[in-house]
Amino acid sequence: MSSTFPDPAHPATPAPLAGDIARRRARLGLLAFLIAVPISWALFSQLEPIWTRIMPLEGFTFMATATLLGAVLAVVPLVAIIGFVLAIWFGVDSVYMAKRRASRLLDQFIVAVALVVWFSPALFGVVTAGRAIYEGRIHFVRPPRDYFLATDPIAFWEGVGFWLIMSGLFSFLAWRYWRPRLLLTPAAQD
C-alpha cells in the first residue's frame, strides 16, 4: 500500500534538469575524446613496429590480427572526433538550459571554445584568401594545382573567390547556430 505522504527515511531525489543532463553528456563526450586521442596518437606513431610484428604471421592469425589492427585504427580516431563534437554540442546546450548549479566561469569557457570551433572554418578560408592575395599564388591540394596572379589571373581570382564564398557559407551556418543563443534576452534565459 502506497502512501501520499513523503517518507522521511527515503527522501525523493529531484529529477535532473535539462542542463544537468546535457552537461553530463558533454563530460562523457570529452572523456571519450581525451581517452581516444592519446590512444590514436600512440597507435599511429607506433604503427611500423606493430606492423612488423604482424607481418611474419600466416593464415588465419595474420588475417585476424591485421583486421583487428585496421578496425582499431579506424574506430579510435572516429571515437575521438565524435566525442569532441558531442562535447562541444552538449556543452553549449548545457550553458543555455536550466541547471541545478550555476557555473558562470565554466559556461563562459565553454562558449568561448565553442565559438572558436564553430567559426574557425570561416576564419581559415579568410586567412587562406588573404595569404593568396599577399603571396600572389593560391594552392589547391586535390588535384595539386598552383595558380599565380602574374600568369593566370582568372584562375587565381576564382580560387580566392572560392575561399571567400566558402568562408561566407561557414560564417552563415555558424551564425545561424549561434544567433538564438547569443541574442537571448536575460528574461528568455530564465
Side-chain angles (χ1 to χ4, degrees), residues 59-105:
F60 177 76
T61 309
F62 172 77
M63 283 301 276
T65 53
T67 303
L68 180 64
L69 176 64
V72 169
L73 288 174
V75 169
V76 174
L78 192 60
V79 168
I81 292 168
I82 290 172
F84 180 74
V85 169
L86 291 177
I88 294 292
W89 189 270
F90 286 120
V92 170
D93 280 351
S94 74
V95 170
Y96 297 102
M97 294 179 177
K99 298 182 287 294
R100 295 245 179 257
R101 261 186 13 222
S103 53
R104 187 170 178 84
L105 190 62

Side-chain angles (χ1 to χ4, degrees), residues 15-173:
L17 297 173
D20 296 328
I21 294 170
R23 188 65 56 96
R24 193 172 314 122
R25 289 177 179 164
R27 278 192 211 110
L28 289 174
L30 184 62
L31 181 64
F33 172 73
L34 292 176
I35 290 172
V37 165
I39 292 172
S40 294
W41 181 80
L43 282 172
F44 281 99
S45 67
Q46 297 298 316
L47 188 57
E48 188 177 345
I50 293 170
W51 186 246
T52 55
R53 288 185 171 187
I54 294 174
M55 284 289 292
L57 301 175
E58 294 178 1
F60 177 76
T61 309
F62 172 77
M63 283 301 276
T65 53
T67 303
L68 180 64
L69 176 64
V72 169
L73 288 174
V75 169
V76 174
L78 192 60
V79 168
I81 292 168
I82 290 172
F84 180 74
V85 169
L86 291 177
I88 294 292
W89 189 270
F90 286 120
V92 170
D93 280 351
S94 74
V95 170
Y96 297 102
M97 294 179 177
K99 298 182 287 294
R100 295 245 179 257
R101 261 186 13 222
S103 53
R104 187 170 178 84
L105 190 62
L106 180 61
D107 289 349
Q108 290 173 344
F109 176 74
I110 290 170
V111 168
V113 169
L115 279 169
V116 169
V117 168
W118 272 90
F119 283 97
S120 62
L123 183 62
F124 174 78
V126 169
V127 167
T128 302
R131 180 178 174 199
I133 291 170
Y134 175 75
E135 293 178 352
R137 173 183 82 88
I138 191 159
H139 175 74
F140 289 98
V141 178
R142 300 230 182 231
R145 299 273 191 267
D146 283 314
Y147 299 112
F148 295 92
L149 178 60
T151 58
D152 197 0
I154 293 174
F156 172 81
W157 287 113
E158 284 176 352
V160 171
F162 166 77
W163 282 112
L164 292 176
I165 289 169
M166 293 307 294
S167 294
L169 174 68
F170 291 138
S171 295
F172 173 74
L173 294 174

Side-chain angles (χ1 to χ4, degrees), residues 168-184:
L169 174 68
F170 291 138
S171 295
F172 173 74
L173 294 174
W175 177 245
R176 290 288 295 174
Y177 175 78
W178 280 100
R179 184 179 57 177
R181 289 160 180 79
L182 294 178
L183 299 180
L184 282 176

